[in-house]
Amino acid sequence: MEVKAVKRTLGLLGSLLLAALALAQAPAPLSPAEKEEAAKIYFDRCAGCHGVLRKGATGPALDPKKMAEKGVEYLKAVIFGGLPGGMPDWGRQGILKEKDIELVARFLLEQPPAPPVPTFEEIKKTWKVHVPPEKRPTKPLHNRNWQNFFGQVLRDTGQVAIIDGDKKELVTIVPTGFATHILRSSATGRYFMAIGRDGKASLIDLWMNPPQVVAESKPCLDARSIESSKFKGYEDKYAVVGCYWPPTMVVLDGLTLEPLKMVSTISYAKGAGELVMEARVAAIVASHFNPEWIVNLKESGQTWLVDYSNLHKKGRPLPITMIDTDLFLHDGGWALKRYFIVAANALNKLIVIDTKTREFAAEVEAGVRPHPGRGSNWEHPTYGPVWATGNIGSPEVTVVGVDPEKHPQYAWKVVKRITLPYAGTLFIKTHPNSPWVIVDFPMSPSPQAAASLCAIDKRKLEVAKCWEVPGAQELKARMVHPEFNKGGTEIWVSAWGSKDTPTFIVVYDALTLKEKARITGDWVRTPTGKFNVYNTAYDIY
């Protein structure tokens, strides 16, 4: 009995010793100030893929226990150098400093803090009208070709640059939300609507001289999508913001951005699974067939058809048709302006919604982690109308037939998987007047790949040319978001670098692919997405 007791005692002492060693090796808990700073960095750089509550979506879940098993040094190495398949190399790019990486690694070992949930009254207080609709001009106050303006997001400065696409010169810079995610054109094209990752919505009047923000509100703490009402008779009457946090969609007045109605998107996974508390709103588009928005819920795998035609009535009725589609819906765009194709990117799928019949039409196997942006459309001599997406996790462009009426044998089938030299694509873009589809690679961990572009021949469905953009690697910049001008004669691409270093926007001839111009200046800092007014308003991509 005494021997057994001694063994038990030794075993207990051994366990205590191991626990003490683990405790000694574990980093000290974050102070309140460190936790606040780490939460800010995580919210800005990590929450989009991993979730505010760290439950995962495009990126994996970040459970504190599993993170502790991996250890701080491992986490620091991943944050610094990235991983294949889409995890950015924040340290190597110079975006996060050593102390930032240390903070975030330690932050991941602790339980995520509960983010606040603003009330409707609180978001209403953020609403500001700088120029009322009745005091705005009735025609453009300048002689510029405003339909060929580009809105260039300057991500980390919280600004949008308005650039004259004809003259390739800066018109003005307007303040918007931090880390503006997208710009959307209003139905008429007159306004740009910006939405920031801080949830701030801004309405930019392009007819003013110079263009300026005429209204703003902050309906969320984090957001990725905004859209206006575009159906005939409702043009620019309403707008909707899709929030990442809190999980809501908020309907606004289209000309003043006054918050009108708040709808929670907390829902059950595909209508029959677990309750998803962080069901974030991803892509939103306005239907061409009905007065409704197509709203995609990321974590709960639903597409909502939101009818805005009755909002003027007492009680602001807002009928919603819920379609169970698939999990982790992210971004997408139109095919034939009838079919909305959205990536369920963590499942490597494309989901097709027929907005005319208001039905779930099809699902298609894409590459690994498809990220279409809005995708690309063109007419192929054999397959008819096709739509394509790039993929973050595999080196391919996935081309899909999209015409079930005239080309049923190819509809909702992959007609070609075009092999690329790199993975890490975020955006692909084309124009009816160009023979090329242009592909970027900003999510590749390879600096050479991130600094490169490829052109795909739309008829042959093969890569015709790839090239590294001169000067990008030297600036530690990633080439991102090709965009055509109104006439389809030029391709503009941004060199996305760090906030401390100005970079450039390069302009190529859309036929020869030769460089025509570079737009530079001290203001060109963290340029990411750019949006041509005409192409964005009329869904040309």
Side-chain angles (χ1 to χ4, degrees):
M1 292 294 291
E2 290 181 1
V3 173
K4 289 183 180 180
V6 169
K7 285 183 176 179
R8 280 198 302 270
T9 302
L10 288 174
L12 180 61
L13 288 172
S15 298
L16 290 171
L17 181 60
L18 288 173
L21 286 171
L23 188 63
Q25 293 172 358
L30 294 171
S31 69
E34 287 176 324
K35 186 173 289 188
E36 183 179 351
E37 179 63 19
K40 183 180 177 183
I41 297 169
Y42 177 87
F43 194 76
D44 176 28
R45 302 295 178 185
C46 314
C49 290
H50 299 284
V52 175
L53 303 179
R54 304 190 208 155
K55 298 295 184 182
T58 303
L62 301 174
D63 177 72
K65 289 184 180 178
K66 292 182 178 178
M67 296 300 100
E69 290 171 5
K70 292 182 180 296
V72 167
E73 294 306 315
Y74 171 84
L75 296 175
K76 285 165 61 178
V78 170
I79 297 167
F80 178 87
L83 289 171
M87 171 67 192
D89 50 342
W90 297 117
R92 185 181 290 122
Q93 293 176 47
I95 292 173
L96 293 183
K97 308 302 182 188
E98 186 177 346
K99 65 178 183 62
D100 300 327
I101 293 171
E102 171 84 23
L103 269 181
V104 174
R106 291 166 57 201
F107 179 71
L108 295 179
L109 304 183
E110 301 186 6
Q111 290 296 324
V117 179
T119 64
F120 185 80
E121 289 73 21
E122 287 171 331
I123 70 168
K124 191 72 176 278
K125 289 177 182 176
T126 69
W127 171 47
K128 298 174 184 175
V129 178
H130 303 293
V131 183
E134 65 275 12
K135 293 187 178 179
R136 296 173 197 167
T138 56
K139 60 181 180 180
L141 298 181
H142 50 75
N143 296 319
R144 295 179 183 270
N145 179 12
W146 61 272
Q147 288 191 321
N148 197 36
F149 280 177
F150 284 80
Q152 172 64 70
V153 173
L154 304 174
R155 185 191 186 279
D156 291 359
T157 68
Q159 298 172 316
V160 168
I162 306 299
I163 305 172
D164 186 321
D166 291 352
K167 299 180 179 180
K168 299 176 184 58
E169 66 182 17
L170 178 67
V171 178
T172 191
I173 295 176
V174 298
T176 54
F178 173 73
T180 294
H181 188 238
I182 59 168
L183 301 179
R184 287 291 176 259
S185 291
S186 63
T188 60
R190 170 181 177 168
Y191 297 100
F192 264 143
M193 298 178 296
I195 188 69
R197 279 178 166 82
D198 60 356
K200 182 179 178 181
S202 306
L203 189 68
I204 305 165
D205 189 347
L206 301 174
W207 284 11
M208 301 190 77
N209 189 19
Q212 69 180 72
V213 174
V214 293
E216 63 182 75
S217 62
K218 195 171 184 292
C220 327
L221 299 181
D222 187 9
R224 293 295 189 279
S225 53
I226 189 168
E227 182 62 290
S228 67
S229 55
K230 293 185 174 178
F231 193 69
K232 187 176 181 180
Y234 297 88
E235 295 93 335
D236 300 343
K237 187 173 178 63
Y238 302 110
V240 62
V241 168
C243 302
Y244 264 28
W245 191 266
T248 55
M249 66 176 181
V250 182
V251 178
L252 314 173
D253 182 280
L255 294 178
T256 67
L257 301 188
E258 177 188 3
L260 301 177
K261 193 177 186 76
M262 209 172 178
V263 179
S264 172
T265 55
I266 293 173
S267 49
Y268 290 90
K270 297 175 68 172
E274 65 175 337
L275 181 64
V276 181
M277 300 303 293
E278 191 176 0
R280 299 177 291 176
V281 181
I284 303 176
V285 294
S287 172
H288 297 279
F289 290 95
N290 301 289
E292 62 189 10
W293 293 300
I294 294 87
V295 177
N296 295 276
L297 307 192
K298 184 186 287 280
E299 284 81 5
S300 60
Q302 290 187 324
T303 298
W304 289 5
L305 308 180
V306 180
D307 181 349
Y308 53 72
S309 64
N310 295 302
L311 279 167
H312 63 286
K313 296 179 181 178
K314 186 175 181 179
R316 300 197 191 282
L318 190 69
I320 298 174
T321 299
M322 300 180 182
I323 303 175
D324 300 328
T325 49
D326 221 327
L327 302 180
F328 310 120
L329 302 177
H330 191 64
D331 56 350
W334 289 109
L336 300 177
K337 297 188 179 180
R338 170 176 174 174
Y339 303 100
F340 181 66
I341 305 179
V342 59
N345 58 11
L347 299 179
N348 306 329
K349 290 182 182 179
L350 302 171
I351 301 299
V352 184
I353 302 295
D354 184 339
T355 62
K356 184 177 182 180
T357 63
R358 307 176 78 247
E359 295 175 331
F360 182 0
E363 63 179 56
V364 182
E365 287 295 323
V368 178
R369 214 165 308 150
H371 191 284
R374 307 196 86 182
S376 286
N377 292 274
W378 69 95
E379 183 85 18
H380 189 267
T382 300
Y383 305 119
V386 296
W387 181 93
T389 180
N391 298 273
I392 295 174
S394 58
E396 76 166 66
V397 164
T398 311
V399 185
V400 181
V402 295
D403 187 2
E405 295 183 355
K406 296 181 180 178
H407 298 81
Q409 69 272 40
Y410 304 120
W412 316 131
K413 296 177 181 176
V414 176
V415 298
K416 184 75 172 182
R417 296 185 187 272
I418 303 170
T419 301
L420 299 169
Y422 314 110
T425 295
L426 277 186
F427 301 104
I428 70 172
K429 200 67 69 76
T430 192
H431 190 282
N433 294 337
S434 175
W436 314 114
V437 178
I438 307 299
V439 186
D440 67 14
F441 306 97
M443 298 303 286
S444 172
S446 160
Q448 180 181 358
S452 298
L453 301 166
C454 284
I456 291 171
D457 186 312
K458 293 197 294 193
R459 294 176 63 85
K460 295 180 179 179
L461 300 184
E462 62 184 35
V463 174
K465 177 183 179 181
C466 294
W467 69 100
E468 183 181 333
V469 178
Q473 272 206 72
E474 290 79 355
L475 294 171
K476 295 185 177 179
R478 295 172 282 171
M479 302 310 300
V480 67
H481 201 267
E483 177 78 335
F484 285 78
N485 66 346
K486 178 184 175 183
T489 60
E490 295 174 349
I491 307 155
W492 294 38
V493 193
S494 303
W496 178 13
S498 67
K499 186 179 176 180
D500 333 347
T501 308
T503 58
F504 58 87
I505 304 157
V506 63
V507 181
Y508 293 101
D509 185 287
L511 291 178
T512 67
L513 300 178
K514 291 182 178 178
E515 183 175 329
K516 290 180 64 175
R518 286 198 178 200
I519 299 169
T520 59
D522 189 65
W523 59 272
V524 188
R525 294 174 184 264
T526 61
T528 51
K530 78 211 65 58
F531 301 86
N532 178 267
V533 169
Y534 187 86
N535 293 340
T536 305
Y538 294 99
D539 296 315
I540 298 170
Y541 42 79

